[in-house]
Amino acid sequence: MKRKALFPGSFDPFTAGHLNILRRALTMFDEVVVAVGINQDKRGFFSMDQRMDIIRQATSGMSGVSVIKYENLTIDTCKEMGIKHIVRGVRNMLDFETERSIADMNRRLAPDVETIIIPTSQEFAHISSSAVRDILRHRGDTRQFLPDGVVLPETE
């Protein structure tokens, strides 16, 4: 039986740090489903379709990766897909505390689904989607923060 994990996030946009976490998750799982969700606390910069396209560009040629969108609870998506592991990346202790709290809540909702928290490699720890969006808003060059080969759609 294939070991499958869900890697959820808003991925607005998908960064080199996200790709680092995904690649490392693929060393533990046969398949990783990148699940693009809607974060009610964040106003989307890129549309859902644009975010999914960016991820497909970043993962082109990688085996074991699929990309979906979802609008319900992450834990419900896991249940629907028969997935027993959630992968989350953290850059620092603040991220860790947030992710640990979410993992604890998810465990209460679905005790059979485990969260795997992967710290990003140090070379990517400074990259956040928020910072990339800010650079984009000011017409800056974001290439060094994105996976190789990713071409972002034009923004207003």
Side-chain angles (χ1 to χ4, degrees):
M1 187 166 134
K2 281 189 168 186
R3 290 185 54 97
K4 200 173 188 181
L6 190 78
F7 182 22
S10 55
F11 303 115
D12 190 22
F14 191 82
T15 68
H18 293 127
L19 185 60
N20 174 257
I21 297 299
L22 176 59
R23 283 188 170 137
R24 292 169 56 212
L26 284 167
T27 68
M28 295 178 257
F29 299 96
D30 301 309
E31 182 180 350
V32 177
V33 178
V34 181
V36 183
I38 297 171
N39 184 333
Q40 300 301 329
D41 297 331
K42 296 179 182 177
R43 194 177 126 245
F45 189 81
F46 290 105
S47 73
M48 179 70 72
D49 289 337
Q50 288 172 322
R51 287 184 264 161
M52 292 178 72
D53 183 56
I54 291 165
I55 296 166
R56 287 186 186 110
Q57 287 179 53
T59 61
S60 176
M62 291 175 69
S63 62
V65 177
S66 58
V67 183
I68 65 165
K69 63 181 171 181
Y70 76 108
E71 296 184 31
N72 55 348
L73 290 174
T74 300
I75 213 72
D76 290 338
T77 300
C78 287
K79 289 177 184 177
E80 289 169 9
M81 298 183 74
I83 293 175
K84 300 293 184 195
H85 295 90
I86 297 171
V87 169
R88 296 295 295 164
V90 295
R91 293 169 294 147
N92 54 44
M93 287 306 294
L94 182 61
D95 283 356
F96 177 79
E97 290 300 327
T98 300
E99 293 301 334
R100 186 180 69 169
S101 294
I102 294 168
D104 289 343
M105 291 181 70
N106 284 339
R107 192 175 304 108
R108 287 203 175 259
L109 294 170
D112 60 329
V113 177
E114 191 62 56
T115 299
I116 310 298
I117 297 176
I118 302 174
T120 191
S121 295
Q122 190 61 40
E123 65 194 276
F124 303 107
H126 65 284
I127 302 172
S128 71
S129 292
S130 299
V132 171
R133 288 192 306 271
D134 193 46
I135 294 167
L136 287 168
R137 280 187 194 95
H138 294 92
R139 306 282 187 231
D141 183 358
T142 59
R143 287 177 293 186
Q144 65 182 309
F145 309 115
L146 300 173
D148 289 337
V150 167
V151 178
L152 295 178
E154 290 294 318
T155 57
E156 296 179 8

